[in-house]
Amino acid sequence: MTVAKPDESEIAARRKHVAKRLNEHVKLFAAYVNAMAIAVAGAAIIVPLVSNPDATLGRTHLSWFAASLALHCIGHAVIRLLRREE
């Protein structure tokens, strides 16, 4: 029994399919990280100010806000992992 060798079009189609799948996973992860950044920012800044409008933001709140900015930057960095779909 002989196994047919895949031609160039099959190889290109397979590579395109793999790149599309990887890109979708990368975009999904980036969206998740950005959603977490929004949630952390909301918990750090918005919730304390809504519950007590006269409250001042302390170091704890600002550190959580910095963590949300870091998560947002990670989301941007992950987007750079997208592959070209040729």
Side-chain angles (χ1 to χ4, degrees):
M1 182 167 150
T2 61
V3 177
K5 209 175 186 186
D7 61 343
E8 290 180 24
S9 65
E10 286 181 24
I11 293 171
R14 213 174 272 167
R15 281 185 187 155
K16 185 175 181 178
H17 177 70
V18 169
K20 279 187 176 187
R21 284 188 63 194
L22 178 73
N23 287 347
E24 288 302 317
H25 287 159
V26 167
K27 288 189 278 185
L28 183 65
F29 182 72
Y32 170 76
V33 171
N34 276 326
M36 290 303 296
I38 292 168
V40 170
I45 303 295
I46 298 169
V47 171
L49 291 178
V50 168
S51 63
N52 186 4
D54 296 329
T56 59
L57 297 176
R59 287 186 181 197
T60 306
H61 300 293
L62 295 178
S63 64
W64 278 108
F65 187 70
S68 80
L69 285 176
L71 282 172
H72 182 69
C73 290
I74 289 170
H76 275 278
V78 166
I79 288 293
R80 293 182 183 256
L81 298 176
L82 290 174
R83 286 190 181 172
R84 181 179 291 177
E85 297 176 13
E86 294 179 6

